[in-house]
Amino acid sequence: MARLHVMQRSEAQAVMDSLHEALSRRLAVSSLAPCPVEFTAAYVNMCATQSCGKCTPCRVGLRALSDLLNDVLENRADEHTLDLIERTARTIYLSADCAIGYEAGDMALTAIRGFRDDFEHHVQKHACGFTQSQLVPCVSGCPAGVDIPGYISLVEASRYTDAVRLIRKDNPLPLVCGYVCEHPCEMNCRRGMVDDPMNIRGLKRYAVDHMETDYRPNMAEKTGKRVAVVGGGPAGLSCAYYLSVMGHDVTIYEARHKLGGMLRYGIPNYRLPHERLDAEIQWILDCGIQVKCDTKVEDLAALRKDYDAVYLAIGAHLDRKLGLPGEDSVGVLSAVEMLRALGDEVRPDFSHERVCVIGGGNVAMDVARSAIRLGAKKVTIVYRRRVADMTAQDEEIAGAKAEGCELLELHAPIAIESQDGYVTGLRVQRQIIGGLSRGRFAPRQADAPEEVIPCERVVVAIGQAIESGPFEEQGVPCKRGRIEVGEDSAVPGMEGVFSGGDCQSGPATVIRAVNAGKVAAGNIDNYLGFNHQVALDVDLPPVQFKGKTSCARCEMTLREAEDRKRDFDLIENGLTEEEAHQEASRCLRCDHFGFGAFRGGRIEQW
């Protein structure tokens, strides 16, 4: 007999690992539809199977909690049962010996308190009262409500122009979103239960890059109504497009030299080529939209007299200060200032400079990668939390590292060192990560001495602010620097004035700004006394069941790091024809199978 044995992975372990992976994929899909009561019961049952059985709260308590939840689902419960569920969950949370028990109790307690109305509906009506999503998961996950299964089917059928037409029913900027959208729709893709979520953004980009012919949208008859849109970013452009399609005369007022807002002055050319952006904007303007660039709106009341309605979409173009000693030194600039210069095709020279970038979002990654392209000798991204806590997308972080940027996590800036008024370094304090605060793990000062990172330039990338002051002085209601609006995007107390986008929501994503413009256009149209419909004008291919063959996701590739970091040319390669068709064929067509035809019908017009 051997004294010890080499641990080997048994067949049973391999099967269990595959089951764990399948469970992980199913949970990662983040389904928007399940009943909270059923979901909580399933979760508690799963936790009960993980119990080691050594403590009574976990071994007995979770089984008792499971039985109580089943009583609710099987119509055997009353109000007393709900109180007992809450007390049982709280007892497990407070008395279980280990995380297996008390985390399960905590989650059940969160559910019974957060979804009390749904539990009560089960008790009183013996049915689920949860208002389930009326759309398939990817469409529910898209802020603009784009018909994703529809345009994927058109890509599969090689009808790329029709795919773009379908996208533009809800999103007039398909090219922009094909290149830079954060694709929240993919988080909900049910294909992730099988293998990997669909590459929805990649298919959108393929469609816009391979349109067979150009086309023009169907335009309604002229109404004689005039609308002013203040701001030419994604929200303003979207609102202007739909109002123009509805027959209204639209004029965009833009304070800067060119339209695009943060699409131009916040996203570098290597992610969104300006010539492609210009082409998409011009396509929108060709719908009959007038433009006045280099025109800052100073008098809202005078503008309102000249137009039947006004839409404020001024964005968030002011920088935020850290308030650090030495922040006024020569060599300190904001990310907004730097990206604005790049948007105007002005490229500062960072040759032989060491650059520190403060921040952990996509903007911080953009300025760090741009600094590399501007000739910086070394770029260090300084972040007070962990890399895992960064709000930047994973691919942006990986891209920055591949191009030579150093990521210095858990270091909080405390001062900017200078000599004779010029930056010489960034003083930082080491941090140690702590507990949750406002949904994120918060750092605290570590027991370590301060350090100085030598550098000649510091770029502050901690977010943008809104230039709401001038409008607030004219009576526009604002709260914490953001314009306040009603659910119809109307500004309270100001007849005919609407607002949306970053100036109303705070800095957000492109697709959310597009949605803001779309919503405002529909409500402005109603305010002007009309009810124009933007409708689906393409025939979709018939749905075919293709089976359940597993197939991995096709990813878009990047130019080699050493090559791409030397210029501002586009870094991402689109899908090939073979990849696009294979990827489109992976769609499970949830709009037909499993969810019915959008649970009540495809949204053909809005």
Side-chain angles (χ1 to χ4, degrees), residues 89-348:
R90 187 171 183 273
T91 299
I92 295 170
Y93 169 65
L94 293 174
S95 59
D97 288 346
C98 73
I100 293 175
Y102 68 69
E103 282 292 333
D106 185 34
M107 293 303 295
L109 192 60
T110 300
I112 185 66
R113 290 175 175 174
F115 296 104
R116 184 78 182 202
D117 290 346
D118 297 286
F119 279 84
E120 290 175 349
H121 195 279
H122 266 280
V123 170
Q124 297 165 5
K125 306 294 185 181
H126 304 311
C128 179
F130 181 60
T131 304
Q132 296 183 335
S133 169
Q134 298 299 306
L135 304 176
V136 297
C138 58
V139 180
S140 296
C142 175
V146 174
D147 185 350
I148 294 169
Y151 83 70
I152 288 178
S153 71
L154 291 166
V155 171
E156 186 179 10
S158 300
R159 294 167 54 190
Y160 309 122
T161 301
D162 284 343
V164 173
R165 291 175 73 103
L166 179 56
I167 295 168
R168 281 196 171 122
K169 179 176 74 72
D170 300 288
N171 174 8
L173 296 168
L175 183 143
V176 168
C177 290
Y179 279 78
V180 300
C181 185
E182 293 191 337
H183 46 81
C185 51
E186 294 182 11
M187 293 176 58
N188 304 309
C189 177
R190 297 174 84 208
R191 181 75 204 202
M193 296 182 186
V194 180
D195 33 54
D196 299 311
M198 296 288 297
N199 191 340
I200 296 172
R201 182 175 71 86
L203 290 172
K204 184 188 287 99
R205 174 176 165 180
Y206 189 86
V208 297
D209 285 347
H210 293 83
M211 290 176 58
E212 303 93 335
T213 57
D214 195 9
Y215 78 97
R216 299 309 307 169
N218 297 324
M219 308 289 291
E221 292 184 8
K222 287 293 184 180
T223 65
K225 298 295 184 179
R226 304 176 69 230
V227 182
V229 173
V230 183
L237 287 168
S238 299
C239 184
Y241 169 75
Y242 288 120
L243 286 172
S244 183
V245 167
M246 293 171 182
H248 308 300
D249 293 324
V250 183
T251 301
I252 298 176
Y253 288 82
E254 171 55 49
R256 301 206 58 79
H257 306 313
K258 295 182 179 181
L259 298 178
M262 294 307 285
L263 300 177
R264 183 184 305 278
Y265 298 108
I267 301 176
N269 192 84
Y270 65 81
R271 290 180 59 206
L272 178 61
H274 290 167
E275 65 273 12
R276 300 301 308 275
L277 174 61
D278 289 337
E280 181 136 279
I281 291 174
Q282 189 59 52
W283 188 92
I284 292 174
L285 298 183
D286 287 343
C287 293
I289 299 169
Q290 301 298 312
V291 178
K292 294 185 179 181
C293 288
D294 295 307
T295 305
K296 192 170 185 177
V297 173
E298 302 285 356
D299 190 343
L300 184 59
L303 189 68
R304 179 66 183 86
K305 290 179 181 178
D306 294 334
Y307 293 89
D308 297 294
V310 174
Y311 181 57
L312 298 178
I314 58 175
H317 293 271
L318 293 183
D319 53 6
R320 290 187 181 276
K321 302 293 185 182
L322 281 166
L324 299 179
E327 197 166 2
D328 56 351
S329 303
V330 177
V332 179
L333 71 160
S334 70
V336 171
E337 180 185 356
M338 178 178 169
L339 293 174
R340 183 180 296 160
L342 293 174
D344 284 331
E345 306 299 334
V346 177
R347 296 181 179 176

Side-chain angles (χ1 to χ4, degrees), residues 334-578:
S334 70
V336 171
E337 180 185 356
M338 178 178 169
L339 293 174
R340 183 180 296 160
L342 293 174
D344 284 331
E345 306 299 334
V346 177
R347 296 181 179 176
D349 186 8
F350 286 8
S351 297
H352 312 300
E353 292 185 350
R354 294 167 295 182
V355 180
C356 282
V357 177
I358 301 173
N362 283 333
V363 172
M365 301 303 124
D366 284 340
V367 296
R369 299 173 75 177
S370 295
I372 290 285
R373 288 161 172 78
L374 295 171
K377 179 170 66 175
K378 182 181 180 182
V379 176
T380 304
I381 301 169
V382 181
Y383 189 54
R384 67 191 188 97
R385 288 184 167 91
R386 303 169 302 173
V387 171
D389 302 317
M390 283 183 167
T391 57
Q393 292 178 278
D394 290 343
E395 54 263 38
E396 287 294 304
I397 298 172
K401 292 172 69 174
E403 291 168 8
C405 299
E406 178 186 0
L407 269 64
L408 192 62
E409 60 183 342
L410 290 171
H411 280 73
I414 56 176
I416 295 172
E417 302 288 309
S418 62
Q419 184 174 355
D420 299 327
Y422 289 84
V423 171
T424 60
L426 177 65
R427 183 172 293 277
V428 296
Q429 171 66 57
R430 283 184 178 271
Q431 305 289 293
I432 183 170
I433 203 67
L436 280 172
S437 175
R438 297 181 181 178
R440 301 175 68 189
F441 291 104
R444 66 177 189 276
Q445 182 175 322
D447 184 14
E450 297 175 359
E451 306 171 31
V452 176
I453 306 171
C455 62
E456 289 73 42
R457 194 177 294 271
V458 174
V459 184
V460 180
I462 59 169
Q464 297 88 47
I466 299 156
E467 194 176 1
S468 60
F471 293 98
E472 194 168 6
E473 292 172 1
Q474 298 178 58
V476 176
C478 297
K479 184 176 181 180
R480 296 180 181 176
R482 301 177 185 177
I483 296 175
E484 288 193 290
V485 300
E487 62 178 13
D488 60 351
S489 301
V491 177
M494 303 199 75
E495 181 72 17
V497 179
F498 297 76
S499 183
D502 287 358
C503 65
Q504 179 267 320
S505 65
T509 61
V510 174
I511 193 64
R512 292 194 178 279
V514 167
N515 178 58
K518 170 186 169 183
V519 169
N523 291 322
I524 291 172
D525 183 61
N526 287 157
Y527 169 78
L528 296 174
F530 300 90
N531 188 32
H532 291 101
Q533 303 295 314
V534 178
L536 171 68
D537 60 353
V538 297
D539 295 324
L540 298 179
V543 179
Q544 297 179 345
F545 181 68
K546 305 184 187 72
K548 303 168 184 159
T549 304
S550 179
C551 180
R553 165 187 170 116
C554 290
E555 299 284 5
M556 289 186 282
T557 60
L558 300 175
R559 292 166 53 205
E560 201 275 324
E562 282 299 316
D563 177 39
R564 69 182 190 243
K565 73 180 185 181
R566 302 180 192 279
D567 56 48
F568 278 86
D569 294 343
L570 183 63
I571 64 172
E572 189 176 51
N573 303 312
L575 298 174
T576 65
E577 181 180 12
E578 181 181 18

